């Protein structure tokens, strides 16, 4: 599910919380996971679109490279965290992406 900021503000009004269904986000998490793995296997970055991308937990593979539109690409956690895990990896690159814990507490 890709939601653009203007659409969110138009539907819900500025300053209101966006309701996110964890089941919907889990489907997106599987798609995003697959896309990141495919891009990484090809040695290419996964391009994070401008706007809001809502996702559940994603495991980043070794060599993953996520590139967003600086100041415009945002990935928000839906459901239980963490948003990303990266176990046993030597290198992961994250550029131009804002990460939003969806109100989850750090730690």
């Amino acid at each position: 599910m890709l939601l653009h900021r203007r659409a969110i503000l138009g539907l819900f009004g500025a300053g209101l919380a966006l309701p996110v269904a964890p089941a919907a986000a889990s489907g997106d998490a599987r798609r995003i996971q697959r896309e990141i793995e495919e891009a990484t296997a090809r040695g290419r970055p996964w391009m994070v679109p401008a706007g809001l991308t809502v996702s559940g937990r994603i495991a980043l593979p070794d060599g993953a490279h996520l590139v967003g539109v600086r100041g415009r690409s945002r990935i928000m956690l839906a459901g239980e965290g963490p948003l990303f895990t990266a176990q046993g990896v030597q290198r992961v690159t994250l550029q131009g992406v804002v990460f939003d814990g969806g109100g989850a507490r750090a730690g």
Side-chain angles (χ1 to χ4, degrees):
M1 168 173 35
L2 176 63
L3 301 172
H4 293 282
R5 183 166 167 56
R6 274 183 238 176
I8 293 168
L9 293 177
L11 291 172
F12 300 103
L16 297 178
L18 172 67
V20 177
S26 68
D28 284 340
R30 286 189 293 273
R31 177 188 53 80
I32 292 167
Q33 178 78 54
R34 184 180 64 250
E35 290 176 4
I36 291 171
E37 289 171 356
E38 289 171 359
T40 302
R42 291 184 176 104
R44 296 184 177 167
W46 181 67
M47 305 305 291
V48 182
L52 177 63
T53 300
V54 180
S55 179
R57 185 179 307 206
I58 297 170
L60 296 174
D62 189 33
H65 186 175
L66 280 61
V67 177
V69 179
R70 187 175 181 191
R72 299 192 57 205
S73 296
R74 183 170 155 220
I75 302 176
M76 184 173 81
L77 173 65
E80 295 294 315
L83 177 55
F84 291 109
T85 61
Q87 296 182 355
V89 302
Q90 293 183 350
R91 182 178 47 100
V92 169
T93 304
L94 308 170
Q95 291 177 259
V97 183
V98 174
F99 301 102
D100 184 334
R105 295 178 57 119

